[in-house]
C-alpha cells in the first residue's frame, strides 16, 4: 500500500532535497541559485532560458554523458536484484574497454560488423570480470564487495599495461587512431547536433535497458534471480540453482558495464587510452541504481537526471558557479535516499496528520 | 470491574479488505483475555493497532478509562503496553541483556552500565521464573528461550499489559506448559495478558474470557469457564467443527520412500541422525513423533535435499537420491511442506501467485521458451485460492508478506498438495492454522493418501500424529526407537517412547 507509493515518493523527495541543498550551497557562495537551475535546463534541452537561443550541440553532449552511467547503473541494479552489491562496475567497464581497444585495432572487418564485434568483446570481457567475483561468492562465499573492489584495481593496471606494452602507444598515452570501421561517431549524428560528439552508442544502450527489464521481469531466468535476491534459502528449497544464478547475474551485470567501456572507447574516443585514473563511472552507476530503485525504468530516469547534472557542469563554470556543486547535489541525493527510513517515517507522520485533520474536521 | 483496555468500534481497512470491522474489545485488569478467530480474521491487526503499529480508520481506544491516541509503539510502551510478535524481533548477534536494554540503555557517564542492566534483567527473570541467562547470545539459544527474552523485554520496560501473538505456535509441548505457568504468574503479579492462539485447549487452561472474531467482525465475548471448546470453535468458524478426522483404514501398496542407515550431521557438527531407517508405502501416512530436537529437522532436511548426508541411502521409487540435488528430487516426485515457512517455504517479497508456482514456474503452462506466462500463473493462483480458501486481499497479486500467518501456511500447503507428488515430507503442516483450516488440511492429506501417495508426517502435535497417521515412528536421539500402529497406541505409550524408554521395533 503505502510502500508502493513511497517507492516513487522517496526518490522524488530525495532529489528535491538534493537540489534544495545545492541551491543553499550556491547561495552560500554568494551566487544566484537560479543561474544553476538555468544551467541545468540549458545543458539538457539546449535552450538558453535567458536568450531563448537553441543549441542542439548541448543536447548531444548531454546524451553522451548519460550513456555510460545508464549502463553502469543497469549493471549495479541487475546484480542487486539477485542480492549482490556490485562495486566492480568500474573494473568491468575498464575490462570491456581494454578488450574493445584490442578488437578495434587488430581485427579487420567491414563497418557494422566491426563495431558489433567490438561491443561483443567489451561485453564478454566485462562479463568475465563480473563472473569471477560471482563465482567466488557462489563457490567459496567470498564477499563480492571485497573482490570487486580489488578487481577494479587489477582491471585498471591491466588496462595500462595492455595499452602501453601490448597494443603500443604513439605518445605514451594513446594508441594510433582506430580505423573508420571501428567507431560509432558519424557525420550525420554530429551534424544534427551541431557538431557534438553524439554517437550511435545510444542504440545498444537503449537495447540494454530493454533487455535488462525483460530479463528481470518477464523471463523464468529473472524469476529465479529475483527469488535468490529476496530469499536464498527459499530459492534453494524450491530447487533453484542458487550458485548458477549468482554467477550469471554477476556475468550479465559485468556485461552491461563492459558495454559501457566499449561505447566510451569507440564512441566518445577513437583511440585507445592509457587511463590516468579511475573515472568514477562505477560510483555513478551505484548512485543511479540507488535512485532508480534497481529497476530498469528507474535506472533509465535516474541516469538522465545525473547525466544532466554532469552536462551542466561546464555551463555552470562559465557562469562562475563552482562545478563541484553538481557533485554535491548528486551526493546529497544519494544521502537522502540512504535516509529512506527517515523519509518513510516523515511521510507516515504527514499522512497521519492529514488523516487526523480529516477525522477531526468531520466530527460533529 | 474496571477495564484496563477498551477498544471501541475499531475499523481498519487494508487494500481490498476490511481487516477489522467495528470491533469492540474490553479487557479486565489482571485477567488473561484470549482472542480467537480464523486465519485472517484480523487478530494480529487488532493487536497491532493497540500496540501503535497501525492506526485505526475509526474507533477509539481507552486505557484505564482515559481515551488515548496510540500513534506509535513508543506511545504504547509509555502506556505500559508491550507485545511479543508472531515472529520475534531480536538482534541475533547481541546478548540477551543487550537485546533487552536496546534503546533504553542505563548509562554511567557516556558508557552503557552493563552490570546494572544485567543485574536488573536477572532480577526480573527470577521474579517471574523465566530462567534466562542474561549473557548468552540470541543465536545460541532456542526459540522458547528467545520468546522469554521478548517477555523480559516487555517487563524491563515496565509493561502492565502484555500482548502475545500466537506465542505457542513455535513452542514444544514442554515449553508451552512452562509458558502457561509464566502467564499465570504474570497475572498473579497484577499484569494483564492478551493472548492470541488457535489452540482451544490453551484458552481453556489459562484464559478468563475469550473474544471471538470472524472475517473482521466481532462475534462475541464469552467467559471461558462456562464455554466448551466445541462452542468456541463453532463461534469462530460459523459451523460445527469435527475435531477428529474420519478416515478409512489405509491400503498400503509398495514401498515408495525408503531411508536406509542414514547418518546426518546437525548444526553443532555431531550426528543428529544415526543409522536411521524407515519406509513409507504408497497409500499410507507414517507419522514421526518425538521431542523437539531429536533429529526430526535433520531427517527432513536430508530427505528433501536441504542438507547433505554423511552416510546411508534415500530411495525414492527404488532410485537412490541421496546425492541428488533438490531439483532432481522434486522432479522425481518428492513434495515438501517445510518446517520454517519464512525461511524455506515462501519468498515473502513475491506476490502470492508467484509463490504458488515456485517449483513449476519454468514449465508449461507457466512459461514458454523461458518467458513467463503471467496469465497462466494468475489463473493457477485463482484456482488454488478458491480451492484451499486462502484469504488474501488482492487475490494472486497480494504481496505474500502482507498475508496473515495462517494464510501463508495455507498457501504452502495448497501448492504442495496440488503438485500431488508421489511421496511427500510434511512438516508441521498445521502450525498456526485455525481449527477449521486444520480440519480441511487433514482431510486433504488423507485424500492424498487414498489416491496412493506416500506421506511422511513430522509433527510436534501428538494429537495430529495420532489422528492423521496410519503408523507412527518414534524418534529419539536421532534413531527410530519404535514403530507403532496408530490405531493401537495412545499418548501415554508414545510419551514413554519419546522420553527414551526402549521398545522392540515392530
Ligand atoms: N500490512 C498489511 N497490508 C495489507 N493487508 C494486510 C496487512 N496486514 C494484514 N492484512 C490483511 O488483513 C487481514 C487480517 O490479517 P491478520 O494478520 O490480522 O489476521 P490474523 O487474524 O492475525 O490471522 P492468523 O491467524 O492467520 O495470523 C488478512 O486478510 C491480511 O491479508
Ligand atoms: Mg496473526
Amino acid at each position: 500500500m503505502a510502500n508502493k507509493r513511497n517507492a516513487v515518493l522517496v526518490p522524488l523527495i530525495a532529489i528535491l532535497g538534493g537540489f534544495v541543498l545545492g541551491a543553499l550551497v550556491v547561495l552560500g557562495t554568494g551566487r544566484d541559485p537560479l543561474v544553476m537551475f538555468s544551467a541545468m535546463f540549458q545543458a539538457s534541452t539546449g535552450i538558453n532560458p535567458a536568450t531563448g537561443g537553441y543549441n542542439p550541440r548541448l543536447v548531444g553532449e548531454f546524451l553522451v554523458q548519460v550513456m555510460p552511467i545508464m549502463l553502469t547503473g543497469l549493471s549495479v541494479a541487475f546484480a542487486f536484484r539477485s542480492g549482490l552489491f556490485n562495486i566492480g562496475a568500474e573494473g568491468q567497464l575498464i575490462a570491456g574497454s581494454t578488450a574493445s581497444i584490442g578488437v578495434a585495432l587488430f581485427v579487420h572487418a567491414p563497418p557494422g560488423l566491426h563495431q558489433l564485434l567490438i561491443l561483443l568483446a567489451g561485453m564478454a570481457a566485462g562479463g568475465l570480470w563480473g563472473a569471477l567475483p560471482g563465482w567466488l561468492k557462489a563457490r567459496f562465499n567470498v564477499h563480492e564487495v571485497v573482490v570487486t573492489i580489488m578487481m577494479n584495481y587489477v582491471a585498471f593496471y591491466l588496462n595500462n599495461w595492455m595499452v602501453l606494452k601490448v597494443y603500443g602507444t604513439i605518445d605514451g598515452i594513446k594508441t594510433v587512431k582506430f580505423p573508420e570501421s571501428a567507431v560509432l561517431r558519424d557525420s550525420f549524428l554530429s551534424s544534427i547536433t551541431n557538431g557534438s560528439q553524439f554517437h550511435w552508442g545510444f542504440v545498444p544502450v537503449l537495447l540494454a535497458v530493454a533487455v535488462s527489464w525483460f530479463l528481470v521481469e518477464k523471463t523464468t531466468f529473472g524469476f529465479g534471480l529475483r527469488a535468490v535476491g529476496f530469499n536464498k534459502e527459499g530459492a534453494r528449497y524450491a530447487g533453484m540453482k542458487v550458485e548458477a544464478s549468482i554467477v550469471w547475474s554477476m556475468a550479465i551485470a559485468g556485461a552491461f558495464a563492459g558495454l559501457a567501456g566499449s561505447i566510451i572507447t569507440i564512441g566518445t574516443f577513437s583511440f585507445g587510452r592509457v587511463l590516468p585514473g579511475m573515472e568514477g563511472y562505477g560510483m555513478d552507476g551505484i548512485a543511479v541504481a540507488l535512485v532508480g530503485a534497481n529497476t530498469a525504468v528507474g535506472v533509465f530516469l535516474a541516469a538522465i537526471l545525473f547525466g544532466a547534472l554532469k552536462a551542466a557542469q561546464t555551463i555552470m563554470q562559465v557562469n562562475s558557479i563552482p562545478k563541484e556543486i553538481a557533485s554535491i547535489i548528486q551526493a546529497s541525493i544519494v544521502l537522502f535516499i540512504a535516509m529512506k527510513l527517515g523519509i518513510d517515517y516523515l511521510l507516515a507522520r504527514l499522512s497521519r496528520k492529514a488523516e487526523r485533520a480529516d477525522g477531526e474536521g468531520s466530527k460533529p | 470491574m474496571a477495564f484496563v483496555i477498551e477498544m471501541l468500534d475499531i475499523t481498519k481497512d487494508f487494500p481490498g479488505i476490511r481487516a477489522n470491522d467495528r470491533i469492540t474489545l474490553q479487557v479486565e485488569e489482571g485477567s488473561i483475555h484470549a482472542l480467537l478467530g480464523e486465519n485472517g480474521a484480523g487478530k494480529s491487526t487488532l493487536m497491532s493497532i493497540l500496540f501503535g503499529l497501525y492506526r485505526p480508520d475509526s474507533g477509539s481506544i481507552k486505557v484505564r478509562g482515559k481515551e488515548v491516541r496510540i500513534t506509535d509503539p513508543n506511545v504504547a510502551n509509555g502506556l505500559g503496553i508491550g507485545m511479543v510478535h508472531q515472529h520475534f524481533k531480536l538482534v541475533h548477534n547481541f546478548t540477551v541483556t543487550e537485546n533487552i536494554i536496546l534503546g533504553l540503555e542505563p548509562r554511567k557517564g557516556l558508557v552503557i552500565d552493563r552490570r546494572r542492566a544485567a543485574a536488573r534483567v536477572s532480577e526480573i527473570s527470577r521474579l517471574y521464573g523465566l530462567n534466562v541467562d542474561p549473557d548468552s547470545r540470541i543465536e545460541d539459544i532456542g526459540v522458547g528461550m528467545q520468546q522469554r527474552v521478548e517477555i523480559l523485554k516487555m517487563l524491563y520496560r515496565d509493561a502492565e499489559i502484555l500482548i502475545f501473538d500466537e506465542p505457542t505456535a513455535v513452542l514444544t509441548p514442554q515449553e508451552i506448559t512452562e509458558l502457561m505457568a509464566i502467564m499465570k504468574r504474570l497475572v498473579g503479579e497484577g499484569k494483564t495478558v492478551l493472548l492470541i492462539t488457535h489452540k482451544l485447549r490453551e484458552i481453556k487452561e489459562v484464559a478468563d474470557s475469550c473474544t471471538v472474531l470472524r472475517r473482521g467482525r466481532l462475534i462475541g465475548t464469552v467467559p471461558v469457564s462456562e464455554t466448551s471448546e466445541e462452542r468456541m470453535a463453532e463461534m469462530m468458524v460459523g459451523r460445527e467443527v469435527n475435531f477428529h478426522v474420519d478416515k478409512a483404514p489405509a491400503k498400503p501398496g509398495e514401498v515408495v520412500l525408503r531411508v536406509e542407515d542414514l547418518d546426518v550431521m546437525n548444526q553443532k557438527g555431531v550426528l543428529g541422525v544415526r543409522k536411521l531407517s524407515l519406509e513409507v508405502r504408497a497409500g499410507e501416512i507414517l507419522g514421526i513423533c518425538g521431542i523437539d530436537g531429536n533429529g526430526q529437522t535433520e531427517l527432513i532436511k536430508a530427505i528433501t535435499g536441504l542438507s547433505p548426508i554423511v552416510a546411508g541411502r534415500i530411495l525414492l521409487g527404488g532410485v537412490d537420491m541421496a546425492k541428488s540435488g533438490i531439483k532432481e528430487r522434486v522432479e522425481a516426485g518428492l513434495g515438501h511442506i517445510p518446517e520454517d515457512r519464512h525461511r524455506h517455504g515462501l519468498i515473502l517479497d513475491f506476490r502470492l501467485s508467484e509463490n504458488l508456482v515456485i517449483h513449476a514456474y519454468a514449465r508449461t503452462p507457466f512459461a514458454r521458451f523461458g518467458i513467463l506466462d503471467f496469465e497462466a500463473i494468475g489463473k493457477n493462483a485463482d484456482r488454488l485460492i478458491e480451492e484451499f480458501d486462502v484469504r488474501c486481499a488482492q487475490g494472486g497479486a497480494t504481496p505474500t508478506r502482507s498475508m496473515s500467518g495462517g494464510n501463508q501456511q495455507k498457501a504452502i500447503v495448497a501448492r504442495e498438495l496440488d503438485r500431488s507428488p508421489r511421496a511427500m515430507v510434511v512438516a508441521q503442516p498445521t502450525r498456526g492454522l485455525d481449527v477449521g483450516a486444520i480440519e480441511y488440511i487433514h482431510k486433504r492429506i488423507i485424500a492424498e493418501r487414498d489416491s496412493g501417495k506416500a506421506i511422511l508426517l513430522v509433527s510436534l502435535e501428538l494429537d495430529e500424529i495420532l489422528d492423521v497417521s496410519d503408523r507412527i515412528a518414534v524418534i529419539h536421539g536421532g534413531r527410530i526407537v519404535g514403530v507403532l500402529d496408530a490405531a493401537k497406541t495412545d499418548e501415554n505409550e508414545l510419551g514413554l517412547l519419546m522420553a527414551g524408554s526402549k521398545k522392540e521395533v515392530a
Side-chain angles (χ1 to χ4, degrees):
Chain A
M1 29 163 235
N3 283 340
K4 218 176 228 163
R5 195 190 59 196
N6 284 9
V8 178
L9 268 182
V10 170
L12 286 183
I13 290 174
I15 291 165
L16 199 75
F19 279 109
V20 169
L21 206 77
L24 287 178
V25 175
V26 174
L27 266 181
T29 62
R31 319 242 180 257
D32 185 357
L34 278 181
V35 177
M36 173 185 84
F37 289 116
S38 105
M40 282 170 202
F41 181 78
Q42 195 184 351
S44 46
T45 61
I47 300 168
N48 183 339
T51 64
Y54 173 60
N55 184 356
R57 191 176 59 78
L58 294 177
V59 180
E61 299 301 346
F62 154 59
L63 292 175
V64 169
Q65 298 281 0
V66 170
M67 289 185 225
I69 60 174
M70 196 173 278
L71 286 171
T72 51
L74 276 186
S75 171
V76 177
F78 197 86
F80 199 83
R81 290 307 283 275
S82 65
L84 300 165
F85 199 14
N86 181 18
I87 310 276
E90 185 84 36
Q92 293 143 17
L93 178 146
I94 297 173
S97 156
T98 313
S100 296
I101 299 170
V103 178
L105 289 176
F106 303 112
V107 174
H108 299 285
L113 179 64
H114 199 181
Q115 286 102 334
L116 187 67
L117 288 176
I118 293 167
L119 297 183
L120 288 176
M123 287 171 66
L128 278 177
W129 222 253
L132 183 64
W135 181 74
L136 288 171
K137 167 87 178 191
R139 189 78 181 71
F140 303 108
N141 205 18
V142 188
H143 205 288
E144 73 277 7
V145 166
V146 180
V147 181
T148 50
I149 289 178
M150 292 198 301
M151 288 194 52
N152 285 346
Y153 286 95
V154 179
F156 175 72
Y157 290 111
L158 190 68
N159 167 279
N160 284 359
W161 180 79
M162 288 285 286
V163 177
L164 277 169
K165 303 286 179 207
V166 181
Y167 301 154
T169 61
I170 46 175
D171 55 2
I173 47 171
K174 55 178 187 275
T175 68
V176 295
K177 249 180 147 5
F178 298 145
E180 268 309 304
S181 62
V183 294
L184 289 172
R185 240 192 281 175
D186 94 342
S187 51
F188 167 68
L189 288 181
S190 186
S191 73
I192 59 165
T193 56
N194 193 14
S196 83
Q197 302 190 40
F198 188 49
H199 55 77
W200 286 110
F202 75 93
V203 176
V205 172
L206 290 179
L207 273 176
V209 174
V211 165
S212 144
W213 170 81
F214 187 77
L215 271 182
V216 171
E217 308 293 342
K218 297 285 160 195
T219 66
T220 54
F221 174 75
F223 188 100
L225 207 76
R226 286 183 288 130
V228 171
F230 285 134
N231 176 359
K232 236 192 253 183
E233 281 299 305
R236 220 160 72 79
Y237 152 85
M240 297 176 191
K241 304 266 186 246
V242 174
E243 284 78 18
S245 208
I246 288 176
V247 177
W248 272 111
S249 116
M250 278 302 285
I252 293 171
F256 285 137
L259 181 62
S262 305
I263 283 172
I264 295 169
T265 304
I266 60 169
T268 316
F269 296 92
S270 49
F271 48 81
R273 296 177 300 148
V274 176
L275 294 176
M278 296 204 203
E279 295 173 304
Y281 292 111
M283 285 300 154
D284 288 339
I286 296 173
V288 167
L290 208 65
V291 175
N294 298 310
T295 64
V297 178
V299 164
F300 178 81
L301 296 174
I304 290 176
L305 172 73
F306 283 161
L309 274 173
K310 275 175 176 287
Q313 289 184 340
T314 3
I315 305 177
M316 280 161 64
Q317 239 172 348
V318 171
N319 291 300
S320 63
I321 289 177
K323 72 173 199 311
E324 284 72 22
I325 299 285
S327 313
I328 292 179
I329 295 177
Q330 174 169 342
S332 38
I333 292 175
V334 169
L335 216 77
F336 284 127
I337 295 266
M339 285 158 41
K340 177 180 178 313
L341 272 182
I343 299 181
D344 276 344
Y345 177 77
L346 234 113
L347 283 174
R349 285 285 295 251
L350 280 178
S351 67
R352 260 180 214 163
K353 271 229 180 85
E355 251 170 50
R356 202 173 306 168
D358 283 358
E360 250 125 62
S362 64
K363 258 186 200 160
Chain B
M1 211 17 170
F3 295 122
V4 260
I5 296 283
E6 287 179 275
M7 300 182 79
L8 304 167
D9 257 346
I10 300 287
T11 297
K12 175 76 189 168
D13 285 330
F14 285 120
I17 196 158
R18 176 154 290 183
N20 287 166
D21 190 357
R22 308 196 54 182
I23 292 180
T24 290
L25 172 72
Q26 293 170 309
V27 183
E28 281 177 20
E29 180 141 35
S31 71
I32 298 183
H33 195 114
L35 207 51
L36 180 69
E38 289 174 294
N39 297 122
K43 308 177 294 292
S44 296
T45 304
L46 190 66
M47 289 302 103
S48 299
I49 289 172
L50 183 56
F51 190 55
L53 289 169
Y54 298 138
R55 295 269 297 155
D57 295 326
S58 64
S60 59
I61 302 175
K62 288 184 186 170
V63 176
R64 294 188 190 83
K66 264 223 308 276
E67 181 154 348
V68 290
R69 284 189 180 281
I70 307 178
T71 46
D72 61 64
N74 289 327
V75 177
N77 280 331
L79 291 167
I81 301 172
M83 180 159 179
V84 177
H85 296 270
Q86 216 162 347
H87 305 102
F88 306 149
K89 299 176 191 276
L90 296 170
V91 185
H92 276 243
N93 50 359
F94 273 23
T95 66
V96 169
T97 305
E98 285 166 340
N99 265 287
I100 290 170
I101 63 175
L102 206 64
L104 275 182
E105 301 86 349
R107 286 168 199 284
K108 200 155 71 185
L110 274 178
V111 291
I112 296 175
D113 188 350
R114 269 170 218 281
R115 280 254 303 286
R116 211 174 88 209
R120 174 104 202 278
V121 169
S122 303
E123 185 194 308
I124 302 173
S125 167
R126 209 168 25 243
L127 179 61
Y128 294 97
L130 293 171
N131 262 326
V132 176
D133 171 12
D135 296 319
S136 41
R137 271 175 206 287
I138 299 299
E139 57 201 0
D140 299 331
I141 61 180
V143 196
M145 259 315 157
Q146 290 184 14
Q147 187 172 66
R148 292 184 187 191
V149 176
E150 289 279 11
I151 299 173
L152 263 174
K153 222 162 103 183
M154 295 193 290
L155 296 172
Y156 188 86
R157 284 160 177 68
D158 296 318
E160 291 294 323
I161 299 140
L162 304 128
I163 306 169
F164 290 86
D165 193 351
E166 288 191 48
T168 57
V170 289
L171 299 185
T172 64
Q174 170 72 23
E175 288 169 332
I176 292 175
T177 316
E178 288 166 13
L179 178 66
M180 298 286 132
I182 291 170
M183 283 195 220
K184 283 183 189 155
R185 226 166 295 144
L186 287 169
V187 287
E189 293 287 327
K191 313 260 177 199
T192 305
V193 171
L194 269 156
L195 169 68
I196 299 181
T197 180
H198 289 294
K199 297 179 187 160
L200 299 164
R201 201 189 310 154
E202 291 166 8
I203 295 180
K204 267 304 220 196
E205 193 182 325
V206 293
D208 301 298
S209 30
C210 175
T211 292
V212 183
L213 307 183
R214 193 194 308 153
R215 291 183 183 256
R217 294 225 172 82
L218 174 71
I219 301 299
T221 300
V222 293
V224 171
S225 54
E226 294 159 27
T227 317
S228 69
E229 289 185 27
E230 286 74 16
R231 173 75 193 121
M232 283 192 270
E234 205 184 310
M235 279 178 78
M236 115 186 206
V237 187
R239 61 176 166 87
E240 215 173 293
V241 178
N242 201 345
F243 285 96
H244 282 277
V245 195
D246 302 314
K247 62 176 206 263
K251 299 188 202 70
E254 81 283 13
V255 174
V256 177
L257 178 68
R258 186 200 296 276
V259 172
E260 284 177 4
D261 296 328
L262 190 67
D263 284 350
V264 190
M265 217 60 106
N266 65 16
Q267 275 183 326
K268 297 190 190 98
V270 295
L271 285 186
V273 165
R274 285 177 246 182
K275 288 251 168 292
L276 184 146
S277 299
L278 57 82
E279 53 180 50
V280 192
R281 293 173 177 275
E284 75 160 353
I285 300 171
L286 176 68
I288 302 270
C289 79
I291 295 166
D292 194 27
N294 272 279
Q296 293 98 320
T297 302
E298 290 81 5
L299 176 65
I300 296 166
K301 286 190 165 175
I303 296 178
T304 55
L306 278 171
S307 34
I309 66 167
V310 176
R313 303 209 300 162
I314 298 163
L315 297 127
L316 186 61
V319 184
D320 189 3
M321 297 246 117
K323 300 234 152 37
S324 309
I326 295 172
K327 196 177 164 113
E328 286 73 45
R329 298 184 207 210
V330 168
E331 275 162 11
L334 184 68
H336 178 198
I337 294 173
E339 249 182 320
D340 187 337
R341 62 174 170 242
H342 281 176
R343 214 163 113 86
H344 290 125
L346 294 168
I347 313 280
L348 285 176
D349 297 287
F350 267 10
R351 280 171 293 211
L352 174 60
S353 60
E354 292 176 305
N355 266 309
L356 290 173
V357 293
I358 200 161
H359 296 95
Y361 68 95
R363 282 197 293 273
T364 42
F366 305 127
R368 216 151 299 159
F369 308 115
I371 294 163
L372 296 165
D373 182 344
F374 286 104
E375 207 182 300
I377 292 173
K379 274 198 187 125
N380 177 66
D382 292 343
R383 184 175 58 80
L384 290 178
I385 289 167
E386 163 90 39
E387 202 176 315
F388 286 82
D389 189 24
V390 182
R391 309 263 169 94
C392 47
Q394 295 144 285
T398 311
T400 314
R401 196 180 282 286
S402 80
M403 290 166 56
S404 81
N407 281 297
Q408 291 174 350
Q409 178 70 9
K410 279 206 244 173
I412 298 175
V413 173
R415 176 184 69 208
E416 297 302 308
L417 287 181
D418 186 60
R419 290 202 295 130
S420 195
R422 59 177 163 165
M424 183 138 68
V425 176
V426 178
Q428 323 292 353
T430 55
R431 186 175 266 182
L433 294 192
D434 65 60
V435 287
I438 292 175
E439 185 190 12
Y440 181 68
I441 300 293
H442 284 171
K443 261 196 211 146
R444 288 292 305 241
I445 293 176
I446 290 162
E448 281 301 300
R449 176 200 79 167
D450 291 340
S451 72
K453 307 291 158 46
I455 290 163
L456 183 70
L457 170 71
V458 184
S459 177
L460 294 173
E461 302 275 339
L462 268 188
D463 289 344
E464 179 162 58
I465 291 280
L466 279 164
D467 269 3
V468 179
S469 320
D470 300 309
R471 289 186 304 136
I472 299 174
V474 182
I475 191 167
H476 177 80
R479 289 194 179 87
I480 300 291
V481 293
V483 180
L484 309 157
D485 185 339
K488 294 189 192 121
T489 183
D490 56 27
E491 283 186 30
N492 292 334
E493 188 181 17
L494 291 177
L496 281 174
L497 281 171
M498 283 161 60
S501 74
K502 280 266 172 308
K503 160 147 187 164
E504 281 311 295
V505 175

